[in-house]
Amino acid sequence: MKKIIYVEKEIIANRTTKQIIRKFKNPFVIEIDSYTEVFNKKNQNFRTQKVNPAVILAKKKGNFIHKTPSKYTIGNKLNYYFSYMYNCVFDCQYCFLQGLYASSNYLVFVNYNDFFHEVRITLSRHINKKVTFFSGYDCDSLAYESNTNFMKQAIKSFEGIDNAELEIRTKSTYSQVFSRTPLKNVVVAYSFTPQRFSSKYEIGVPSVEKRISTLKKLAKKGWKIGIRFDPIIIYKDWQRDYALLFKNVLGNVPEKNLHSVTYGNVRFPKDIFKKILQTTKNKGLLSKLSLNESLYEQSDKKLIKNLCDKLLYKYVDRSKVFCNF
């Protein structure tokens, strides 16, 4: 099946645009004036598009860098995120993206240097203060990297910037971008749920063992590793599964390479949650969430915290653990 690629006319001659198009064999390229006419179109079916998503190549104009929610941190007080791509290769049944966007097509903004320029502008506002930038909010940071090469350029752009830290969050085992000399201000952060859960609800995600194998190789090369148990999801026998997961994952990261561990609960803004219920094929997975002010969330946060307090500190120093409730 031919890949459909929509391209904004303004960036049809862009070098990155051409490089991405060449990744596909005989794609059907359609020129458009603006990505919004395809991506924001009404009456789209997220589930149907997910079977064979089109690619949309566009130029982002403004709003490159955003502040993270107040409790979203891995140690610094100044935290920002950026998204060069909207939507994800994987199909996690609890993912907020299925309620955030009407389309499940892959939207890629090809003006990479503008993102890096805005990072430098943000840093200029925080002289002599450490700032963390997160990648992987609206997409998986590495799952589409073989087509985009964005993270390869992003890592290079952070080289030599002492007060900037980059977190690359992923569930992918793609690791070619880390064949270079490790940077002390780059954290490769892997997200995990127990394999029994993942195999059912995280479609397309590499197994826990494959991700562990990849992070071990990167740690051996000298890269800093982050571990993200976010969200922790409560289901039958979840405590047993997470106890095993903590042991398997954290037992394979050398202390000197472990940058941080975070955990949190399932949570969605009210409007996004309602849209998810209209599109998801696993409504039962989200049926136990309760409304807390403007958020639908898993209310048993105390149970989660008790489990993490009991088990995580067997493997990790308390100073490296952060709760994202």
Side-chain angles (χ1 to χ4, degrees):
M1 185 178 295
K2 279 192 174 184
K3 178 63 71 175
I4 296 175
I5 303 179
Y6 296 95
V7 184
E8 287 184 343
K9 294 175 183 177
E10 182 180 355
I11 50 92
I12 193 71
N14 180 281
R15 185 174 68 174
T16 300
T17 299
K18 293 179 178 179
Q19 289 174 342
I20 293 175
I21 291 175
R22 283 199 295 268
K23 295 286 184 176
F24 301 91
K25 185 177 181 180
N26 299 320
F28 188 53
V29 178
I30 303 173
E31 293 188 23
I32 55 177
D33 292 318
S34 171
Y35 76 86
T36 57
E37 63 191 78
V38 178
F39 194 73
N40 295 353
K41 188 169 60 177
K42 294 182 179 180
N43 300 319
Q44 298 185 81
N45 189 303
F46 191 95
R47 283 282 126 216
T48 299
Q49 287 183 349
K50 195 69 178 175
V51 176
N52 185 33
V55 177
I56 306 170
L57 303 180
K59 180 179 181 180
K60 190 168 181 63
K61 300 173 180 178
N63 297 316
F64 292 91
I65 309 292
H66 305 271
K67 286 187 175 181
T68 68
S70 58
K71 294 183 179 179
Y72 195 92
T73 183
I74 52 175
N76 293 327
K77 293 182 179 179
L78 296 171
N79 301 285
Y80 296 86
Y81 73 91
F82 57 82
S83 299
Y84 86 99
M85 178 177 173
Y86 295 168
N87 281 323
C88 186
V89 173
F90 304 133
D91 189 9
C92 299
Q93 299 302 296
Y94 55 85
C95 182
F96 79 102
L97 294 178
Q98 59 189 320
L100 183 61
Y101 301 126
S103 172
S104 60
N105 292 326
Y106 304 153
L107 172 58
V108 179
F109 297 110
V110 301
N111 49 323
Y112 299 168
N113 286 332
D114 288 335
F115 284 90
F116 311 145
H117 177 67
E118 289 299 320
V119 166
R120 291 190 290 272
I121 290 177
T122 303
L123 288 170
S124 71
R125 302 191 188 108
H126 303 294
I127 302 297
N128 298 323
K129 295 181 180 179
K130 193 170 183 179
V131 184
T132 300
F133 295 88
F134 294 88
S135 171
Y137 186 80
D138 290 302
C139 67
D140 184 288
S141 296
L142 295 174
Y144 215 54
E145 177 67 12
S146 62
N147 289 322
T148 65
N149 286 320
F150 175 84
M151 289 314 308
K152 180 179 180 179
Q153 297 180 47
I155 293 171
K156 185 178 181 179
S157 75
F158 274 77
E159 189 170 5
I161 307 178
D162 293 334
N163 67 319
E165 180 179 57
L166 171 64
E167 181 197 275
I168 302 171
R169 187 167 299 196
T170 187
K171 293 177 182 173
S172 173
T173 55
Y174 185 85
S175 61
Q176 290 184 25
V177 293
F178 306 115
S179 59
R180 54 157 295 155
T181 302
L183 297 183
K184 63 181 181 180
N185 61 335
V186 172
V187 181
V188 192
Y190 289 91
S191 297
F192 289 97
T193 59
Q195 184 59 50
R196 190 163 67 94
F197 177 91
S198 180
S199 60
K200 183 175 182 180
Y201 294 112
E202 298 181 338
I203 310 305
V205 173
S207 70
V208 169
E209 291 305 317
K210 285 182 179 179
R211 276 173 278 166
I212 290 175
S213 176
T214 300
L215 71 83
K216 284 173 64 177
K217 291 176 183 177
L218 297 189
K220 190 174 182 180
K221 290 180 179 180
W223 289 95
K224 290 184 178 180
I225 304 297
I227 301 298
R228 309 292 174 244
F229 301 115
D230 190 358
I232 287 181
I233 300 174
I234 294 176
Y235 56 92
K236 186 178 179 181
D237 295 328
W238 68 281
Q239 290 151 311
R240 179 196 66 188
D241 287 356
Y242 275 98
L244 180 61
L245 180 68
F246 293 166
K247 180 180 179 181
N248 287 346
V249 174
L250 297 172
N252 280 289
V253 185
E255 178 64 25
K256 66 178 181 179
N257 296 96
L258 183 62
H259 176 277
S260 55
V261 176
T262 66
Y263 67 91
N265 65 331
V266 181
R267 56 211 181 267
F268 302 101
K270 185 178 178 180
D271 292 342
I272 287 180
F273 180 73
K274 290 181 177 180
K275 291 179 182 177
I276 289 175
L277 288 184
Q278 295 172 1
T279 61
T280 185
K281 54 187 178 183
N282 279 302
K283 291 182 173 61
L285 178 63
L286 306 175
S287 62
K288 295 182 180 180
L289 301 190
S290 57
L291 182 61
N292 180 14
E293 296 181 353
S294 61
L295 286 178
Y296 274 92
E297 65 177 351
Q298 201 163 249
S299 59
D300 295 325
K301 290 185 283 189
K302 187 175 181 180
L303 274 178
I304 295 173
K305 190 175 189 309
N306 287 343
L307 180 79
C308 291
D309 287 347
K310 178 182 177 182
L311 298 178
L312 284 181
Y313 303 133
K314 290 182 178 180
Y315 312 101
V316 189
D317 187 272
R318 287 177 179 267
S319 64
K320 293 185 176 183
V321 178
F322 301 92
C323 174
N324 283 333
F325 289 158

